[in-house]
Structures are given as structure tokens and as C-alpha cells.
Amino acid sequence: MADDLERAILLAYDPDAAVDPAVKAQAIAFCDCARREPPSSLLRLCLERLPRASLPDPVRFWLLSALHEAVLSLPPSELPFFLSSLPALASCLSSSPPFIKNKLSQCLSTVITLHYPHSWPTPFVDLLPRLADGPHAVDMFLRLLSSLDDDLLSQDYPRDAAATAAASRVKDAMRMQCVPQIARAWFDVITLYRTSEPSLSASALDVARRYIPWIDIGLVANDVFLQLLFELVESSEEQLRSAAAACLLAIVAKRMDPRPKLALLRSLQFNRLFSRQDSVCSLAHLITGYAVEALECYKRMGSDNVDGSSALELLDEALPSVFYVMQTCQEVDSGNIVEFLSSYVSAMKTPTQKQLVYIGQVLEVVKDQMLYDPAYRSNLDLPDKIGKEEEDEMAESRKDLFALFRSVSRVAPDITLLFMQNLLARAVQSAEMNVEEVEAALSLFYRFGETVSDEAMRTGSGLLGELVPMLLSARFSCHSHRIVALVYLDTITRYMKFVHENTQYIPFALAAFLDERGIHHPHLSVSQRASYLFMRAVKLLKSKLVPFVEQILQSLQDTVARFTTLDWTSKQLKTSGSEDGSYTFEAIGLLIGMEDISPEKQSEYLAALLTPLLQQVDSLIADSKLQNIEESSPRIASVQQTIMAINALSKGFNERLVTTSRPAIGSMFKQTLSVLLQILVVFPNIEPLRNKVTSFLHRMVDILGASILPFLPMALKQLLMDSEPKEMVDFLVLINQLISKFNISIAGMLGDIFPTIVSRVFQLLPSDAFSFDPGYNTEEVRELQELQRVLYTFLHVMATHELSSVLLAPTCREYLNSIIELLLITSCNHKDILVRKQCVQIFVRLIKDWCKKYNGEDKLPGFRNFIIETFATRCCLNSVLDKSFEFRDANTLLLFVEIVGAQKVMYDMFGDEFAVHFVSKGLPAAHCPQDLAEQYYRKLQQDNDTKALRSFYQSLIENLRQQQNGSFVFR
């Protein structure tokens, strides 16, 4: 069988063999069958075959893998046979490839894990003498220790409870039996082979590094071993230098109490490394690791004792090398060092003069680490895909750097301010500072603004009063670069409160926004950003800008002209983002909409802006009568921008000014509205234009007040034509605004369009209001859900603004039953609890509006009976009994408050007519005991004690649910 097995293994697993797939499948099946032999048989098969010298490597590897499986369930009785075979096995495999030796070491580590020390008490004692046999024996021993660490001892991997217990057992036995001898063996191997077999010495160092965390530190942290390690970290052999440094780092990072740890760090005398800057970069991880541990000792022992001072001395020795590493070494992981520096700055509560010097160096590190790579300069200016990726990566990596910068600003504000002064002065005065350095300087000054108090920002206390004016007048040699221009604009905006209080600097701020540094920058993205930030600055400065309005309008003349004289066929439409124009016009509107501007000038300014914009619209409308204009036409896109510009312009005006103090302005806006409403007639089906006009209508409702009412019938009629769900949502939002603004004043107008609204909405929505399948989250379904939600808001706004009478108008009566039924179903079992609450509030309002107290004549005959017999039972009782009504949910509790409030309103309005029906028919139907029903009646009769009624009703519902064992499900 053995020869057959060997051939099968080669057929199945030899990567160099060209085998027919069917034959390979048979070979794999044969091998799997052999692997299913009992562990004892499999063990003997493997141990008998493995010593053969001519065995191919694929066969040997398969046998070792099978051996590993066998030893996992090896009976103790077979252990002596296995152990007796080890010498021959180790000898024949000593010159095998690494993957064979690794597999053998994995087998041995598994046996040690399972049987050491109880069944196999001397594995290490047996193996240590064999190290004298030469490099192959040493290599095998080191591989065994590494495998044991990987498979069991290391704490770097998650282990289950059994593995953790096994690791503790093995470690305890090794400590008692052989760890000192193993440590001595490491030393001997490292010393013996450092010249002849440096890779073997490096392996011994790596094994020592792995075991240092749990062995006696004195076995390696002694004069002899340390001397060897320090010699090796200065070795010309990179492999040995790195392995020795990692070993020293493990010693440094050993978990210990602070005082022994401090003694250990002191004994290491790391200053011998700090003085050698030629090798510092190759030891970067070791040096920063040492600094981290020294800082941890200082933090744990505090600064007010000798030990703390001693730890601080060690830290002070290390810091210059840490800064050198950060600023000089390319390969170092900056994230770990930034984390260390953040911890260092946080620990220095009241820094000394020496520590302030170090903190200043921290700022230099922050600045250097946040520099863009000059290789991406052109990519960032465009920006192309590479530039955008670089920008995203830098934004992510800067998060920790900015956090560190803020910490330094809090601990040492004066040092930070002085640093910023020097940095900005160099950026402004030196023509040699490149794009990356200027961008970093501005970004830091922007972040510095986050740490400045409002008071300091306004007054410009200290150096801030010099830095902000310097910034406002700055013109960098690289200002044309996109990233410099953008951060410059953001930074001056951050300090605009200073300008607000120090108005002598307003001309400088305006120049920065309006010249080639801002709105007139050659980069479109910069120009657009400048427009937005300028609008924000205008909002802040507002009346302080009155003396500069003429100058500002003059500066913006060419920008405005782009939107009033745009060539229909030009590519500007594709390249001039609409937001650019919107923000510019909003800023202008804010400026000219102030009452500080004289009425004559205000009218002049507004007419000069509106007239050419409206001419574009008139031209489009006139041309549409001569030719068919498609939605994709550039002219349509241009008019969209025109409407947006007019809309943005109007944001600077308020209702009082437009309708009362300066009605001439109101007349201009009404004329504008009249022109724009024609678009709805001429282009009823072009959705983008329709949306822009609707948005403008919203704005005109706000500023024209009641004078807009004559324009509304035509506008609303046009907007209702052929409305799809999305348009219907926008329409209802507009109606809700009108109702909220004008209340009962638009009752007649609403009565005229209400039937059309309801019929269209019911036509669009599914017949079952709750038929939306949650599995279908399509755009169409989302639009219908939004329409449904806005419909309930519309009915709620009507009910709460004294317009419920519209529902009773003769033209609306045919839809009344459908609306009431929809509200009832929704109030009982809509999935959105807040929508249910809204519907209950609508019913409460209708009860108050349509029913007279007790036996008076109701506005809607039969509505009283519906409320008492149907709404009260289905919504106020049955829906609450349903197991889906979850009292622990906050929104559900709000709904419950409304439901109890509705019962109180029904009792106030209907008296015993409601109470007797609810107590004698509703509660008994839910199997409510008579005594609880009577208690409910008494609670209901108590005046103005809704809270007590609510508390009792909740306990009543919970009792009824318990009686029903949660089986009641309301549908």
C-alpha cells in the first residue's frame, strides 16, 4: 500500500505533474482514504515512510501533514513509539526545504501542547544537548520554539479558554524546568553563528523576542546579553541589526510595575544609541518604543516625586532622537509617533521651559508631516483622479495631526501663536516657499482658529491682531494653485469675526474675496467656493458693508454679466456651476436688500439686475412660440440658472420692506413673478423649470405676503396639471406653506382645488395605503411613500389651521368618506408611529370643529356616532391592545399620550354618550373585568387629570394583554 500511496500523493499533489483530471480525482480519493485510518495506524505508516532518503518532497509534506492529524488524537500508549522515532526523523529531515522542517516543528509543538509536562516531561531537556550537532539541529530547535509560540504561547492571537489554559501549563513548566538553559542557548547560538550563519543568529534573536514577554527579564536584560544586543544593533548586517533592535524593543516593552520598569530602562543606557544619528533611522521603532515606555512610567508615577523626575529625564534624552526620526526617516510609521507625541503633550500639564522647546518641535513635526508630496502638485491643481485620491488620503492622515495641533494649542498657546507668526511671515515674505509649504501653513492657521475664543477672535488679542491683517493682505507666489487658493479663502472666512469688530480691515477682506484670489480666480472650483464664502461674509458683516456696495457691485459686474448675456451655444453652461451664480446673487441680494440703502438706489440696483435676467426668460418664451424647444436644450438650462439667480437675489429682502416700507420693490418682484409663472403655461411638462418656479413661489410667499394671493389660482392650477408623485409632493409642500402663512384667508381657493388634489393623490397611491412591500425599495416606491407622508401632513395642517370646513364643502363631500376611512386605518396600524400620532391629532381637531357639546346640532351628521362607535373602539382600544404597540418605544408613548387625550376630548364633547358606550361595549369586548371598566369611568370623569388617566389606562391595557397571553392581534 505504501508504494501505491506514494504514487497517489505524487499524482494528486505534485504541482509539476501533468495528470488527467479523472486520475487526479482518484488519487485524491485514495489519499483521503489512507488519511481516515485509525490514528495509531496512520502514525506508524507516516513514521515508517518518512525516514526514507529518496522520498520526494510532496510525499514527505503529505506524510507530515497526516502525522500532524494523527498526533492530535494520539493515544498515550503510542507516545513512546513516536518519541523513539524522533531522532531518526529529525536527522533525515535536517537538510529538507524550510516548508518540510516547519511542518515537522508544527507536529512537535502539537505533541508538546497535548502532552507536556505530564506525558512527555523532557522535550526541551532532550533537545538542548543536540544543538551541538551543528546548524541543522539549531535551526530545527529554533523552528520548534517559533511554532510553539505561533500555535500556543503568543498572546498576539485570540485563544479560547482551553488554549489559554494549555499555554499557561506549558509556560509554567518551562519556567521551572528549562527557560534559563534556553536563554543561554540563544546567547550561544547568536554568538557562535553571528559571522558564519547570520540568518541563524537572526532566527535566535527573533525567538528570544517572542519569549521575552513571559520569561524572567533578567535572563536577557543582563550585562552580557545586553552587550551582545548593542553590538549587533550597530552591525553592518541588516538582518542582525533589525533582529537585535526588535529584541531590545521587546525588553523595553516588557510589562512591569512602574518602578522596576524605570530601573530597567535606566539600566539599558539607551543614550549610547541616541548619540549615533547615522544609525537612528534604522532603529526608529526601537527609539520611539523606548520613548513611549519612558512616558508611560512618567504618567504612572507622576511629576511630583524623584521617580517621576527620573522618568522625565529618560524621556528628555530620547525626544531629540524621536524628532530626528520623524523629520528625517522616510520609512518610519508616523502614526505611532503622532500618537506618542499626542500622549506626551497631554501629559505636560504645566510645561517647563525645556518642555516648551520640545513642544515647539512637535509643531514643526506636525507641519512637516502634513505636507503634500510635490510629485502630485499638478494632479492636485487639476484635480484629476490621482489628485482627488491624494487629497482624500491626506484629509484622513491629517485628522490625528490636527488633533495633536489642537492639544499643543491648548497646552502652550503662546508657543503656538509664535510658531504661526513665523510660519505665516515666511509664507508671505518668502518667494521660495512652495505650494505644499504655503498650503500647510494656511491649513494650520485655519485649525488654530478652532482653538481661539470668540472674545480673542473679535479683539485680535496678542499676535492675532497682527496675523489676521497679514493674512488678509497676503498674495502668495503660488496663489494661483487650487489647493492654496481654497484653503486661503476658508482661512480668511474663519477669522471674519475679527473683521466684523475691526472694520478698518473690511476693504482687505473684500479684495481677497473679489479679486483674482477669490471670485476672479482662474480655477472654477475656487471661484465657486469664493462666491459661497463671500455670501457668508456678507451675512455676517451686512450693514457694515453699506459704504462698499457700489464698489462690490462694480467688482461683480462681469460675474453677473455671465448670467445675463450668456451665449446659448457656449460651453459656459457646462462649466459654470449653477451654485456659483446662486451664491453671488444671494450675496448681492443681501447687500441691496438692506434698509440702510436708499429707496432710489435700492430700486435702481434691483432693476439693473432683474431686467436683463427677465429678458432672457421673455426671449425663451417668445421663441418657444416659433419653434419647439426640448428639455435638453442649452436655453432651458440657462433659464434654470436665471430663475435660480432671481430666487437667490430675493433672499436679501423681507416681507416688511417689500410690502410696507418700500412697495416699489414689491412691485418689481410681483412683475418678476408674473413673468416666471408664464413658464408653467408655456413649458408645463419640463420638470426642471417647473421645480425652479415652484421654489421661487415658496420664496415669494415669504416676502410678498398677502399680495401674492391673486397670482396663486393660475399658478396652482398649472402645477396640478399632470402631476406625478414627485411633483405632487412638491405641490403639497407649497400648499402646506400657504395654509401655514394665510390660514382661513385661502379657504375659498383651497376649496376650489381640494377635489383635484385628493382625486389625483388617490389616483397615484395604491388602493391599499399600506401595500408597499418593504422588499422593494425602488425610487418609485420611495416617491409614493413620500407622497403618502406629505398627504397626512397636508390634512393635519388643514385641520390645525381652521380649514376643516373645506372638507364639508359640497364639492369635497364625495371624498370625505374615503379620507375619514384612510385616517382611521392609518391611525390604527400604520408602520410609522409618528404618522399614526398625526392622524389621531387630526381626529381630535375634527371632533372639536364638527361636533357640538352633548346633544347640539353637529356640522356633519353621523360623525359623532362614527367617532364613538368606531374610532374610539378601533383606534383608542383595539390598536393599543395589539402586541405591536410597544410601550417601551418613545414615539409609541407619544402616540399613547394623544390617544388618551382623544378619549378625554370625546368625554368633554359627548359626555356619557361616549363613556357609557366605551365602558359597556368596547371594554367588555376586549374581556375587560367590570371593576376595571368602572375604575376607568371614574378616572375619565376627573377633571384636568389626564396624567392619572394615562397611567391607569396603560396599566389597564397591560392587564388585558396578560389575560389574553399576548394572543390579541388587531387588524
Side-chain angles (χ1 to χ4, degrees):
M1 174 188 172
D3 291 337
D4 291 342
L5 177 61
E6 184 177 327
R7 284 195 295 273
I9 293 169
L10 289 172
L11 288 170
Y13 300 110
D14 186 353
D16 298 326
V19 183
D20 180 85
V23 174
K24 186 171 185 174
Q26 288 180 336
I28 291 173
F30 186 84
C31 294
D32 290 345
C33 182
R35 221 168 188 145
R36 289 194 290 271
E37 289 286 321
S40 299
S41 302
L42 188 58
L43 176 77
R44 291 182 181 276
L45 171 69
C46 295
L47 291 176
E48 287 168 2
R49 300 294 295 172
L50 278 167
R52 284 179 50 186
S54 60
L55 209 61
D57 286 337
V59 176
R60 189 164 276 153
F61 185 80
W62 188 93
L63 291 169
L64 284 168
S65 298
L67 178 65
H68 183 246
E69 289 183 19
V71 298
L72 283 170
S73 51
L74 187 68
S77 59
E78 295 291 340
L79 186 60
F81 174 69
F82 173 77
L83 297 179
S84 66
S85 306
L86 276 182
L89 187 60
S91 176
C92 74
L93 298 181
S94 61
S95 58
S96 298
F99 71 94
I100 297 291
K101 291 190 279 190
N102 287 341
K103 201 64 186 176
L104 176 59
S105 67
Q106 189 181 21
C107 291
L108 294 176
S109 72
T110 300
V111 177
I112 290 171
T113 299
L114 296 172
H115 299 285
Y116 177 72
H118 48 278
S119 301
W120 187 18
T122 59
F124 304 103
V125 174
D126 294 341
L127 292 171
L128 280 168
R130 296 184 178 276
L131 298 182
D133 294 345
H136 289 308
V138 172
D139 180 54
M140 197 65 238
F141 181 66
L142 295 175
R143 287 180 191 276
L144 169 61
L145 292 178
S146 294
S147 183
L148 188 62
D149 180 68
D150 284 336
D151 297 342
L152 182 68
L153 304 181
S154 174
Q155 294 183 329
D156 294 339
Y157 312 106
R159 312 280 190 198
D160 59 23
T164 303
S168 297
R169 166 173 48 79
V170 171
K171 286 178 182 178
D172 290 343
M174 290 180 71
R175 287 190 191 102
M176 293 181 64
Q177 185 190 59
C178 58
V179 167
Q181 295 92 310
I182 291 174
R184 178 67 200 188
W186 294 333
F187 179 83
D188 292 340
V189 168
I190 297 165
T191 305
L192 182 60
Y193 294 103
R194 60 188 289 189
T195 304
S196 60
E197 298 269 2
S199 61
L200 209 53
S201 288
S203 295
L205 286 164
D206 181 63
V207 171
R209 173 192 63 80
R210 292 164 174 261
Y211 281 67
I212 284 170
W214 60 269
I215 67 172
D216 179 4
I217 193 65
L219 295 173
V220 286
N222 54 60
D223 293 342
V224 178
F225 215 124
L226 287 175
Q227 182 61 37
L228 175 62
L229 292 175
F230 279 110
E231 287 176 10
L232 292 175
V233 294
E234 297 179 5
S235 168
S236 59
E237 182 66 47
E238 168 62 25
Q239 192 177 16
L240 281 177
R241 187 167 64 245
S242 297
C247 209
L248 280 169
L249 182 57
I251 294 172
V252 166
K254 175 83 169 175
R255 290 184 181 178
M256 301 169 68
D257 289 335
R259 282 191 174 78
K261 181 61 164 286
L262 180 60
L264 170 65
L265 296 179
R266 197 184 292 114
S267 71
L268 295 177
Q269 299 178 15
F270 259 46
N271 51 3
R272 68 183 103 176
L273 297 179
F274 302 145
S275 61
R276 298 200 43 153
Q277 291 207 336
D278 57 329
S279 60
V280 162
C281 282
S282 63
L283 305 174
H285 293 297
L286 176 57
I287 288 168
T288 54
Y290 177 88
V292 166
E293 296 300 325
L295 175 60
E296 190 60 28
C297 281
Y298 171 74
K299 288 163 67 177
R300 291 172 69 185
M301 290 187 289
S303 58
D304 54 352
N305 57 71
V306 175
D307 288 329
S309 301
S310 179
L312 196 55
E313 287 175 14
L314 296 179
L315 185 57
D316 287 344
E317 287 180 357
L319 279 173
S321 293
V322 173
F323 292 128
Y324 181 83
V325 163
M326 196 71 171
Q327 293 169 322
T328 311
C329 308
Q330 298 297 321
E331 301 81 11
V332 70
D333 180 4
S334 60
N336 289 336
I337 298 184
V338 169
E339 185 179 350
F340 159 72
L341 292 176
S342 297
S343 185
Y344 171 76
V345 170
S346 299
M348 301 299 117
K349 305 294 185 191
T350 52
T352 63
Q353 196 60 39
K354 186 176 184 180
Q355 288 157 3
L356 286 173
V357 172
Y358 287 141
I359 288 174
Q361 288 182 268
V362 171
L363 291 170
E364 288 290 344
V365 167
V366 169
K367 186 259 295 178
D368 290 343
Q369 287 298 311
M370 60 183 287
L371 292 174
Y372 279 104
D373 186 339
Y376 298 111
R377 188 176 296 172
S378 60
N379 303 103
L380 289 163
D381 196 30
L382 292 174
D384 56 15
K385 181 182 178 183
I386 295 172
K388 289 174 182 175
E389 288 175 357
E390 178 68 9
E391 220 166 342
D392 291 341
E393 288 175 14
M394 182 59 80
E396 187 62 34
S397 67
R398 282 181 173 184
K399 287 178 181 177
D400 291 336
L401 290 168
F402 286 143
L404 173 56
F405 179 75
R406 286 192 295 271
S407 296
V408 174
S409 300
R410 284 192 295 269
V411 171
D414 294 339
I415 293 290
T416 308
L417 199 53
L418 190 60
F419 170 80
M420 287 309 316
Q421 182 191 35
N422 293 334
L423 197 58
L424 274 180
R426 286 206 311 274
V428 171
Q429 296 164 10
S430 172
E432 296 178 3
M433 277 191 83
N434 58 35
V435 168
E436 295 75 28
E437 291 171 321
V438 172
E439 190 276 340
L442 291 171
S443 294
L444 283 174
F445 193 46
Y446 174 85
R447 294 292 170 176
F448 181 72
E450 295 176 352
T451 68
V452 177
S453 67
D454 276 354
E455 180 62 25
M457 181 74 80
R458 287 195 299 271
T459 60
S461 59
L463 290 173
L464 205 59
E466 299 175 21
L467 295 181
V468 178
M470 184 194 304
L471 176 72
L472 290 171
S473 58
R475 293 176 184 270
F476 306 106
S477 58
C478 53
H479 219 128
S480 60
H481 197 283
R482 186 184 67 88
I483 61 171
V484 171
L486 285 174
V487 73
Y488 175 76
L489 291 167
D490 282 334
T491 305
I492 63 173
T493 304
R494 165 61 55 88
Y495 291 93
M496 204 48 60
K497 287 180 181 176
F498 172 84
V499 178
H500 185 270
E501 295 298 319
N502 300 272
T503 53
Q504 67 270 30
Y505 297 111
I506 286 179
F508 298 97
L510 290 176
F513 282 118
L514 298 174
D515 64 21
E516 70 281 354
R517 291 170 292 171
I519 289 174
H520 289 91
H521 195 280
H523 266 288
L524 177 64
S525 61
V526 176
S527 175
Q528 291 176 339
R529 181 70 177 165
S531 297
Y532 167 69
L533 295 175
F534 176 61
M535 179 271 294
R536 282 178 50 188
V538 170
K539 277 186 176 180
L540 177 68
L541 300 173
K542 215 148 184 196
S543 61
K544 296 179 187 291
L545 294 177
V546 170
F548 305 96
V549 170
E550 287 277 2
Q551 174 193 336
I552 293 169
L553 293 178
Q554 189 67 32
S555 297
L556 292 173
Q557 195 168 10
D558 58 337
T559 304
V560 171
R562 290 212 308 269
F563 294 87
T564 56
T565 59
L566 198 60
D567 179 3
W568 302 117
T569 60
S570 79
K571 293 182 179 178
Q572 279 182 277
L573 280 166
K574 296 179 181 178
T575 58
S576 65
S578 59
E579 294 306 321
D580 179 15
S582 293
Y583 291 130
T584 301
F585 277 91
E586 184 174 350
I588 293 172
L590 291 166
L591 285 169
I592 67 174
M594 292 185 286
E595 292 200 48
D596 305 81
I597 306 292
S598 70
E600 297 77 17
K601 277 290 183 185
Q602 197 168 55
S603 296
E604 179 188 332
Y605 292 148
L606 186 59
L609 290 159
L610 287 177
T611 301
L613 290 169
L614 292 176
Q615 282 173 353
Q616 286 200 30
V617 179
D618 285 334
S619 173
L620 177 69
I621 291 171
D623 289 350
S624 70
K625 297 173 182 176
L626 303 175
Q627 58 179 321
N628 184 34
I629 298 177
E630 300 292 332
E631 182 175 336
S632 58
S633 164
R635 298 191 66 176
I636 297 295
S638 176
V639 170
Q640 283 184 64
Q641 288 193 353
T642 299
I643 301 170
M644 289 175 69
I646 296 171
N647 198 7
L649 187 66
S650 71
K651 291 180 181 178
F653 297 84
N654 60 62
E655 183 177 352
R656 191 184 63 80
L657 180 142
V658 167
T659 60
T660 306
S661 62
R662 297 182 185 179
I665 300 296
S667 297
M668 288 190 200
F669 278 115
K670 281 187 275 188
Q671 181 188 351
T672 302
L673 178 61
S674 180
V675 172
L676 295 186
L677 287 179
Q678 293 178 52
I679 291 173
L680 296 177
V681 178
V682 178
F683 304 104
N685 298 316
I686 296 184
E687 183 186 347
L689 286 179
R690 179 193 184 111
N691 291 341
K692 298 298 181 292
V693 174
T694 303
S695 178
F696 183 66
L697 265 172
H698 280 289
R699 186 73 205 122
M700 291 301 100
V701 170
D702 284 337
I703 69 169
L704 290 178
S707 62
I708 197 179
L709 292 176
F711 296 89
L712 292 177
M714 185 276 280
L716 298 179
K717 178 185 175 183
Q718 290 300 130
L719 288 172
L720 262 175
M721 288 177 58
D722 303 322
S723 293
E724 293 303 314
K726 192 171 182 298
E727 289 84 46
M728 201 66 212
V729 166
D730 294 338
F731 178 82
L732 288 177
V733 170
L734 176 62
I735 293 295
N736 290 343
Q737 182 194 13
L738 292 170
I739 294 172
S740 300
K741 178 84 173 176
F742 300 116
N743 296 306
I744 199 72
S745 304
I746 62 164
M749 190 186 310
L750 185 60
D752 293 339
I753 60 173
F754 185 82
T756 311
I757 293 174
V758 177
S759 64
R760 184 61 183 152
V761 171
F762 281 2
Q763 186 181 352
L764 291 170
L765 288 175
S767 56
D768 176 1
F770 309 102
S771 65
F772 302 120
D773 189 332
Y776 290 94
N777 190 24
T778 64
E779 183 67 26
E780 182 183 357
V781 168
R782 287 194 295 273
E783 286 179 1
L784 290 173
Q785 288 172 332
E786 179 66 8
L787 175 58
Q788 185 191 80
R789 188 188 64 78
V790 175
L791 170 64
Y792 295 125
T793 303
F794 166 58
L795 295 172
H796 185 270
V797 171
M798 281 184 64
T800 54
H801 286 78
E802 302 179 14
L803 288 168
S804 63
S805 58
V806 171
L807 296 170
L808 303 179
T811 54
C812 306
R813 278 290 183 99
E814 66 176 292
Y815 301 103
L816 185 57
N817 287 341
S818 299
I819 291 171
I820 296 297
E821 184 63 24
L822 176 65
L823 289 173
L824 177 65
I825 294 171
T826 305
S827 67
C828 293
N829 41 352
H830 198 282
K831 291 178 181 177
D832 189 334
I833 294 294
L834 295 180
V835 169
R836 288 171 67 175
K837 171 176 162 248
Q838 214 172 26
C839 291
V840 174
Q841 290 172 335
I842 293 171
F843 272 119
V844 168
R845 191 71 247 178
L846 296 181
I847 291 168
K848 291 178 178 179
D849 287 353
W850 293 352
C851 301
K852 298 296 182 182
K853 279 199 173 186
Y854 307 114
N855 293 316
E857 186 178 343
D858 295 335
K859 290 183 180 178
L860 180 62
F863 182 67
R864 176 192 299 256
N865 290 339
F866 166 81
I867 291 294
I868 293 172
E869 296 173 9
T870 306
F871 170 74
T873 304
R874 288 178 61 180
C875 176
C876 299
L877 179 59
N878 293 348
S879 74
V880 183
L881 281 171
D882 190 278
K883 59 185 179 183
S884 66
F885 198 96
E886 181 53 73
F887 282 107
R888 288 174 297 183
D889 175 66
N891 286 334
T892 304
L893 276 178
L894 292 176
L895 170 60
F896 186 68
V897 168
E898 295 296 335
I899 286 173
V900 174
Q903 294 174 59
K904 199 71 176 168
V905 168
M906 286 186 281
Y907 182 71
D908 290 343
M909 296 297 293
F910 309 141
D912 282 345
E913 186 180 359
F914 155 69
V916 169
H917 185 278
F918 196 72
V919 170
S920 65
K921 293 186 178 178
L923 290 175
H927 310 295
C928 177
Q930 184 64 29
D931 60 326
L932 288 179
E934 290 173 359
Q935 284 185 57
Y936 167 80
Y937 182 47
R938 288 195 295 272
K939 293 286 183 184
L940 191 64
Q941 290 176 308
Q942 295 175 4
D943 291 336
N944 302 321
D945 199 356
T946 307
K947 189 175 181 181
L949 175 62
R950 187 164 68 240
S951 177
F952 172 78
Y953 196 57
Q954 181 174 341
S955 65
L956 171 64
I957 295 298
E958 288 169 345
N959 283 333
L960 293 179
R961 284 183 180 178
Q962 288 177 359
Q963 290 178 27
Q964 297 157 0
N965 294 318
S967 61
F968 186 90
V969 179
F970 169 66
R971 291 288 178 266

